[in-house]
Amino acid sequence: HNLDPNVQMAGPTWHNMAETAATRVDGQSAEEYLYNSIVNPNDYVVEGYAQGIMLQNYGQTLSQQDIADMVAYLLTLRGE
């Protein structure tokens, strides 16, 4: 991931994460989308990116508080 939307990496940009996450999956808030993307990373894979790249066990290895903290942080990212 990268904050620069013009730099493509293994995962999609984190530029303006809150706004982007809110539009990824119909019916999911940005918070829900990010939580699910961490816990079940293959449920929705952004077009152009490969399935299975992200670690698959965060839901088992991170506490719920750790995941909530990650989601809160990701929602603050604005980019450049």
Side-chain angles (χ1 to χ4, degrees), residues 4 11 15-16 19-20 24-25 28 30-32 39 41-43 50-51 53 58 63 71 78:
D4 183 341
H15 180 79
N16 291 332
E19 292 83 5
T20 302
R24 288 279 192 219
V25 176
Q28 281 189 1
E31 293 85 357
E32 292 168 323
V39 176
N42 290 327
D43 280 3
Q51 189 174 31
I53 296 294
Y58 283 140
S63 71
V71 168
R78 301 283 180 246

Side-chain angles (χ1 to χ4, degrees), residues 1-2 4-6 8 12-14 16 22-24 26 35 39 46 49 52 59 61 63-65 69-70 72:
H1 301 286
N2 196 303
D4 183 341
N6 299 311
Q8 188 168 1
T13 183
W14 282 353
N16 291 332
T23 64
R24 288 279 192 219
D26 285 340
Y35 175 87
V39 176
V46 174
Y49 293 92
T61 59
S63 71
Q64 289 298 304
Q65 185 61 58
D69 291 345
M70 288 174 59

